Amino acid sequence: MKHASPRGANSAPSQRPLAETRAPDEGDGVETSPSVSDRIAKTTCYMCACRCGIDVHIKDGKVRYINGNKDHPVNRGVICGKGSAGIMQHYSPARLKKPLLRSGPRGSGEFREIEWEEAFAIATERLSRVRSTDPKKLAFFTGRDQSQSLTGWWASQFGTPNFAAHGGFCSVNMAAGGLYTIGGSFWEFGKPDWNNTKYFMLFGVAEDHDSNPIKIGLGKLKARGAKVVSINPCRTGYNAIADDWIGIRPGTDGLFVLALIHELLKAGRVDLDYLLRYTNAAALVIQEPGAADDGLLVRDGGGNLLVWDRVAKTPACATDPETKPVLTGGYTVGGRHCVPVFQLIADRYLDDSYSPDAVAGRCGIPADTMRRIAAELAHVAFEQTIELPIAWTDWAGRRHETIKGRPVSMHAMRGISAHSNGFHTCRAIHLLQVLLGTVDVPGGFRFKPPYPRSAPPGPKPAGKNVRPMTALEGMPLGFVCGPDDLLLDEAGKPIRIDKAYSWEAPLAAHGLMHSVIRNSWAGDPYPIDTLMMYMSNMAWNSSMNTVETIAMLTDKDEAGDYKIPFIIYSDAYYSETVPFADLVLPDTTYLERHDCISLLDRPISHADGPGDAIRHPVVQPDRDVRPFQSVLIELGARLGLPGFVDEDGSARYRDYADYIVNHERAPGIGPLAGWRGKNGDAIGKGEINPDQLQRYIDNGGFWHHDFSDDQRYYKMGNRAYLDFAVQMGFIPKAEPIVFQLYSEPMQRFRLAARGHGKLQPSAAERDRIETYMDPLPFWYAPFEDDTVDVDKYPLHALTQRPMHMYHSWGSQNAWLRQITSQNRLFVHRQTAIGLGLADDDWVWIESVNGRVKGQIKLIDGVNPDTVWTWNAIGKRRGSWGLKDDAAESTRGFLLNHIIADQTAADANGKRYSNADPVTGQAAWFDVRVRIARCERQEAGFTEPQFERFSQPPNVEPPLDVLRFGAAFRMKREAAE
């Protein structure tokens, strides 16, 4: 065998770039390393929210190939099917080419092309009139745009509180549940300690989310023999490789978790020392029913939390390192009867109603399985403790010679979030973690900077004083601490069009994107003038009750005017929402623009250090399109918004790239944390560096900082980390972050419902607030379970996205469509037999809200009471550049058509958004259905069908055969 010479041999470490990337000459005439590009541009992927680093190979000014960036801290060179198929996203036939102005009826798709100057003039005139009269009559809602630091600030400077993004439809329960409990959250702001975990629990995570880091992490766990337990009604993707799949009944995860807590408390297997150090478990709670302070925490005159000192037998300051708190018992403080928080926890969850035997039937999980899992958690946490030989100092100045950890970790996402009980379920999962002492310890769930922050973090939402030509006093989204922070007018009505931060959704930290169209159409709580949306497919897969939503977008009043007067929409593609716009502002693809993945928004940090990233144009647009972020900055300047113009009225920023470098949210703090200061030698805070973007580009499109060993764990109480967090601007003071097992802000709402305080809900809202604003997590049935005839609609119906697609972006992608171009309804084999159904049957899927038709596939890996399908595969004819006979339109279906966007009327005749009553999170996983075989003549095509959209001007017809790469090959062969 001929040995290769050292030059060109792949002998370098796998996670480092090779000095010589060409394979050695084998002497057989076969070219194994053809030149595929003239240059390689390193940027950030946008095919999901993972934000992986990618190498984009450019040939003759066109994208030739995409692979993973081996130096990138997110994916370490790993790339998924979505990421590599970004070429087809960039060259999609659905790309918009020029600004459009509606010329036919709304929803027809009839437009005429206009120039950008006319588009800006129309938008500026419209928005100027709104801003000068009543700024809240602009509703500005965005999708998965990853630039909410800019879009939210723009809304604030315009003066409208009516801003929100994708989170209220996707994950606000996950965010708020964590931020109100531990000052951080699952998904983008935390991660399991993949290197040290020995027992990993995965709740409701579909494989389209964070796919590369999770795949890398799961690979580490499987290689080390760690146990993976998945709790999910569907056994797909990550759940398919679990050692233990718990096929739970949808919406009962919280009940399952509280049963585990019951068992741990019963066995005394909780980390008492951890609870005393890092939580409010010892804080005293006033127990005086009927009093205005019942359920509030006891404080001294300086506002410090009080505990009961078991040695001094007196109340003492909770943050005094010399205090010896108790966790149980009853005490009298200032004439008030009080008990520690932990006593309330024990009283509630030790009750037999939370025992495995009591909840097994509801969850669909055997009681013995619950007891076994609780025992396994306790065994790993307390018998397999990790101890790292690293010295560190806590917030009180106490030195510790080692770092101890309990190697149990958990992760959760949309399957938990998208239920009407999701907030309390998420809080229950965090309570379970904290009771075991597994948050931000070796082997546990770990925070990603800039988290943790105080629970809840600041700031509070702005919008109480909306005035013409005036910026808001802060950002539109935030965190309330009690009724006084709600956004209500003098009559107690919601100030926001989506009713976020009202009695209907008090902790709506991400807003209610899914409510804006209905409320705007109904003029409830008031009519709006302009609805502006970005990258949010609200006429299709980003709304519930799609059929009615489409009708609302086109409905007119008695005078013949549209009830939603004007719609401005920006997207890169001809989605199902574009035809409903009056003015269309065409966006670029992610390879043609600047983006900022910022610590002010959703950074690329990992648990061992902060990080952020950029996108930058690796190719130039071949169409008359502009990045929406730059368009927004241009509009801000034309409108004269504060912060967007200088004192002389001239534009402050040339475009989004200029904004990224020169904008400061606070002195020294801008969108990017790396290479700050005139010489680029500062991080976090520092002067503006004109070369900052180039430094990012030179570094592969990202910046990352590694913590010292003594900063990596116990961030909530680690002096070295807290000092660093202050220096970076993450937190205002180097004070310990106390986990809130008992949420006092929620108790303040209950007191208002009981008639205390200056702001109180109406009589009709009191029971709702009293019930759901519980300061301790509890479980209740999803709303639809209690409002529909479950005998008539016995099945739960879920949607999720395949690993190779994300939202509606991927399902128009020519390469990814070859994997999945039709979705099926997956039905448990035994369930199908009971219904007389066979594999490949066409069925009607019916809810109280309507019915859709699709084809079924029989499987075993699903909860027998559950059916599910891939979401966003079904498309409307005429959209996304697809042919009329595309399988997505003829055989794919969308479950959103039969998901209600409102609850059934209550005893007072009132209907609420079909959402979690605490946060307003859309509850699109609660739908109940029945299925039945359709008639023979009905088989073979999906329903409902909608009128085909007209095509925008100058659109090329879809190709029968895609031959991407042919031009590259022909040129190469000609050269040879």
Side-chain angles (χ1 to χ4, degrees):
M1 177 179 177
K2 183 179 178 181
H3 292 281
S5 65
R7 179 173 175 76
N10 190 356
S11 58
S14 63
Q15 297 300 314
R16 301 297 303 167
L18 301 175
E20 171 59 56
T21 59
R22 294 181 61 81
D25 184 359
E26 296 290 342
D28 56 6
V30 177
E31 177 58 87
T32 57
S33 297
S35 176
V36 299
S37 58
D38 303 321
R39 63 185 177 90
I40 299 174
K42 296 180 181 292
T43 186
T44 305
C45 187
Y46 202 8
M47 293 298 287
C48 78
C50 203
R51 294 148 299 182
C52 295
I54 52 174
D55 293 348
V56 183
H57 295 252
I58 310 297
K59 184 75 171 178
D60 299 330
K62 294 185 177 182
V63 180
R64 182 70 181 90
Y65 178 70
I66 298 175
N67 63 280
N69 179 354
K70 294 181 179 180
D71 291 327
H72 200 275
V74 170
N75 58 315
R76 303 293 182 186
V78 174
I79 193 166
C80 68
K82 297 189 296 293
S84 59
I87 299 172
M88 292 296 100
Q89 209 76 359
H90 174 66
Y91 291 117
S92 166
R95 291 180 304 170
L96 297 170
K97 295 185 175 182
K98 201 172 181 66
L100 301 173
L101 187 66
R102 180 173 59 81
S103 58
R106 189 182 286 175
S108 66
E110 297 173 12
F111 293 98
R112 67 176 178 88
E113 291 183 341
I114 60 175
E115 301 301 322
W116 274 101
E117 183 55 40
E118 183 178 357
F120 277 123
I122 293 170
T124 302
E125 188 277 331
R126 188 99 197 179
L127 296 177
S128 293
R129 187 172 68 250
V130 173
R131 183 169 176 253
S132 65
T133 54
D134 187 354
K136 70 176 181 291
K137 290 198 172 184
L138 168 65
F140 179 28
F141 286 70
T142 73
R144 257 296 190 191
D145 57 279
Q146 299 180 15
S147 58
Q148 291 162 38
S149 169
L150 167 66
T151 52
W153 185 65
W154 190 95
S156 173
Q157 301 308 98
F158 184 91
T160 180
N162 289 322
F163 167 81
H166 177 78
F169 196 65
C170 178
S171 60
V172 68
N173 276 335
M174 202 55 49
L179 292 168
Y180 273 82
T181 307
I182 60 173
S185 70
F186 291 123
W187 176 210
E188 292 169 297
F189 304 128
K191 60 178 286 188
D193 187 350
W194 299 113
N195 293 323
N196 295 301
T197 290
K198 298 180 181 179
Y199 197 98
F200 177 52
M201 299 185 76
L202 190 69
F203 291 88
V205 180
E207 48 265 31
D208 67 316
H209 266 88
D210 207 18
S211 55
N212 288 334
I214 289 182
K215 285 183 292 187
I216 295 169
L218 286 172
K220 292 180 178 180
L221 298 189
K222 302 297 281 188
R224 290 193 291 104
K227 183 164 186 178
V228 177
V229 180
S230 74
I231 298 90
N232 198 311
C234 313
R235 191 170 196 180
T236 62
Y238 310 139
N239 307 285
I241 66 166
D243 302 289
D244 200 348
W245 171 57
I246 309 298
I248 197 167
R249 184 169 290 127
T252 64
D253 304 76
L255 196 56
F256 166 73
V257 170
L258 295 175
L260 299 181
I261 290 173
H262 172 93
E263 288 295 294
L264 292 169
L265 290 171
K266 186 177 176 181
R269 301 291 267 172
V270 296
D271 192 335
L272 299 179
D273 183 62
Y274 186 94
L275 293 174
L276 289 170
R277 284 181 179 269
Y278 304 114
T279 80
N280 69 349
L284 293 172
V285 185
I286 297 169
Q287 300 291 283
E288 295 286 346
D293 57 359
D294 179 50
L296 298 183
L297 302 179
V298 181
R299 290 177 168 81
D300 63 17
N304 300 304
L305 282 179
L306 295 182
V307 298
W308 190 264
D309 191 301
R310 69 174 182 269
V311 176
K313 300 191 183 305
T314 61
C317 178
T319 56
D320 185 343
E322 302 303 318
T323 298
K324 309 296 182 185
V326 300
L327 287 171
T328 58
Y331 308 93
T332 300
V333 178
R336 320 289 284 165
H337 177 60
C338 309
V339 300
V341 165
F342 187 77
Q343 182 68 59
L344 298 178
I345 290 172
D347 290 344
R348 173 169 293 186
Y349 305 120
L350 281 173
D351 189 89
D352 286 343
S353 62
Y354 286 108
S355 71
D357 291 311
V359 308
R362 190 82 195 223
C363 296
I365 301 172
D368 286 345
T369 298
M370 298 186 196
R371 282 188 279 265
R372 172 178 58 79
I373 292 175
E376 291 173 354
L377 286 169
H379 175 76
V380 175
F382 299 107
E383 308 301 330
Q384 299 185 30
T385 302
I386 293 175
E387 191 164 2
L388 304 180
I390 300 171
W392 65 288
T393 301
D394 67 23
W395 63 272
R398 295 170 293 204
R399 180 178 171 84
H400 306 262
E401 297 304 322
T402 62
I403 296 177
K404 298 180 180 179
R406 307 197 182 280
V408 171
S409 64
M410 301 173 194
H411 196 47
M413 194 42 204
R414 190 188 294 126
I416 300 300
S417 190
H419 288 289
S420 52
N421 58 15
F423 174 81
H424 281 285
T425 294
C426 184
R427 288 205 74 216
I429 296 172
H430 286 303
L431 175 60
L432 174 60
Q433 291 192 111
V434 174
L435 289 173
L436 290 169
T438 65
V439 175
D440 218 54
V441 302
F445 168 81
R446 301 181 63 196
F447 294 113
K448 295 179 183 179
Y451 295 91
R453 289 173 169 165
S454 61
K460 297 175 181 180
K464 289 188 176 183
N465 301 305
V466 178
R467 291 175 292 166
M469 306 296 288
T470 305
L472 300 182
E473 63 274 20
M475 295 290 275
L477 300 177
F479 301 89
V480 305
C481 292
D484 291 350
D485 300 327
L486 294 178
L487 298 185
L488 303 170
D489 64 17
E490 293 181 356
K493 293 183 178 180
I495 287 176
R496 289 178 53 111
I497 189 66
D498 60 358
K499 303 184 182 180
Y501 310 114
S502 73
W503 297 111
E504 295 190 24
L507 308 188
H510 288 172
L512 283 72
M513 183 180 78
H514 49 283
S515 294
V516 65
I517 290 177
R518 174 175 287 280
N519 293 355
S520 299
W521 164 79
D524 178 21
Y526 48 81
I528 67 164
D529 178 274
T530 300
L531 173 61
M532 185 162 72
M533 298 183 292
Y534 171 51
M535 209 175 112
S536 176
N537 199 7
M538 293 298 292
W540 199 248
N541 64 282
S542 289
S543 67
M544 302 183 286
N545 196 357
T546 313
V547 176
E548 280 196 33
T549 299
I550 291 171
M552 295 172 200
L553 289 168
T554 57
D555 194 21
K556 296 182 178 181
D557 60 20
E558 293 179 356
D561 298 320
Y562 287 113
K563 289 188 175 180
I564 302 176
F566 199 73
I567 299 175
I568 302 173
Y569 185 55
S570 179
D571 203 323
Y573 308 101
Y574 194 60
S575 71
E576 286 91 349
T577 298
V578 170
F580 295 93
D582 300 297
L583 176 65
V584 179
L585 307 176
D587 192 19
T588 61
T589 73
Y590 70 102
L591 297 177
E592 299 169 323
R593 67 166 180 258
H594 283 94
D595 272 331
C596 181
I597 300 94
S598 171
L599 283 161
L600 300 178
D601 190 2
R602 286 178 162 86
I604 60 161
S605 302
H606 62 65
D608 290 322
D612 55 21
I614 65 165
R615 296 186 186 92
H616 61 101
V618 301
V619 289
Q620 294 301 312
D622 58 359
R623 314 162 316 287
D624 191 12
V625 297
R626 299 188 185 185
F628 178 70
Q629 293 88 345
S630 292
V631 168
L632 205 60
I633 287 169
E634 172 79 10
L635 281 173
R638 290 180 179 236
L639 292 167
L641 302 187
F644 287 88
V645 292
D646 290 324
E647 292 183 1
D648 63 358
S650 61
R652 179 167 295 180
Y653 306 111
R654 182 178 61 256
D655 53 20
Y656 189 44
D658 191 41
Y659 166 94
I660 291 172
V661 171
N662 292 296
H663 176 71
E664 288 186 300
R665 191 57 53 87
I669 297 178
L672 292 173
W675 294 288
R676 298 197 68 80
K678 290 184 178 180
N679 299 319
D681 54 3
I683 65 172
K685 289 182 181 179
E687 294 179 85
I688 292 169
N689 174 12
D691 297 322
Q692 189 180 35
L693 278 181
Q694 189 59 50
R695 295 293 293 270
Y696 272 81
I697 293 171
D698 293 343
N699 196 56
F702 69 92
W703 165 82
H704 180 73
H705 170 78
D706 286 318
F707 288 144
S708 59
D709 287 346
D710 66 340
Q711 293 176 318
R712 296 176 187 268
Y713 295 99
Y714 291 100
K715 297 183 186 74
M716 60 282 191
N718 183 320
R719 172 56 62 81
Y721 171 78
L722 292 171
D723 288 342
F724 173 83
V726 171
Q727 294 169 12
M728 292 289 291
F730 298 161
I731 56 176
K733 296 180 181 179
E735 296 176 339
I737 293 161
V738 180
F739 298 161
Q740 302 296 301
L741 305 186
Y742 180 95
S743 179
E744 190 177 40
M746 299 189 72
Q747 180 63 17
R748 294 192 184 108
F749 282 95
R750 292 183 112 187
L751 291 172
R754 296 170 187 172
H756 302 292
K758 63 181 181 181
L759 279 180
Q760 298 175 21
S762 66
E765 301 281 0
R766 291 183 188 270
D767 286 346
R768 179 179 164 98
I769 294 294
E770 172 75 30
T771 300
Y772 300 114
M773 299 301 287
D774 195 311
L776 289 176
F778 75 109
W779 184 85
Y780 53 92
F783 291 157
E784 190 149 332
D785 282 12
D786 281 344
T787 56
V788 305
D789 183 345
V790 295
D791 292 326
K792 185 177 181 180
Y793 301 98
L795 298 171
H796 301 266
L798 304 177
T799 62
Q800 61 178 353
R801 296 179 178 90
M803 189 175 288
H804 54 277
M805 291 186 181
Y806 186 71
H807 292 266
S808 56
W809 309 345
S811 49
Q812 56 114 353
N813 186 291
W815 288 354
L816 301 179
R817 290 181 61 219
Q818 296 178 66
I819 304 173
T820 306
S821 61
Q822 174 192 353
N823 57 317
R824 304 286 192 100
L825 185 73
F826 296 103
V827 184
H828 193 281
R829 198 173 306 277
Q830 293 303 315
T831 303
I833 291 172
L835 294 171
L837 299 174
D839 208 16
D840 291 336
D841 274 349
W842 282 83
V843 301
W844 287 107
I845 311 154
E846 184 179 357
S847 77
V848 294
N849 207 52
R851 65 178 188 167
V852 296
K853 187 172 58 180
Q855 196 171 16
I856 68 171
K857 185 68 178 175
L858 306 190
I859 60 173
D860 295 316
V862 65
N863 177 281
D865 299 314
T866 304
V867 296
W868 69 275
T869 190
W870 299 123
N871 190 33
I873 303 299
K875 300 293 187 187
R876 182 166 171 176
R877 286 180 303 124
S879 64
W880 296 105
L882 302 178
K883 295 175 70 69
D884 284 355
D885 62 353
E888 289 84 353
S889 300
T890 60
R891 301 171 70 86
F893 64 94
L894 195 70
L895 206 61
N896 301 51
H897 297 326
I898 63 170
I899 302 174
D901 70 315
Q902 287 191 313
T903 63
D906 64 14
N908 299 304
K910 183 175 177 61
R911 302 183 70 187
Y912 294 89
S913 172
N914 182 17
D916 188 300
V918 180
T919 65
Q921 159 78 54
W924 40 284
F925 273 3
D926 285 356
V927 64
R928 301 294 296 258
V929 302
R930 61 183 179 186
I931 59 176
R933 183 188 291 109
C934 65
E935 298 296 329
R936 183 185 299 273
Q937 67 273 16
E938 296 175 320
F941 59 95
T942 187
E943 291 189 64
Q945 288 287 333
F946 300 87
E947 183 179 353
R948 181 187 184 276
F949 292 131
S950 297
Q951 298 300 288
N954 300 315
V955 171
E956 298 175 5
L959 297 173
D960 289 320
V961 179
L962 179 71
R963 292 186 173 89
F964 177 80
F968 297 106
R969 185 181 67 251
M970 293 169 62
K971 184 174 182 179
R972 184 178 70 247
E973 291 174 349
E976 294 173 351

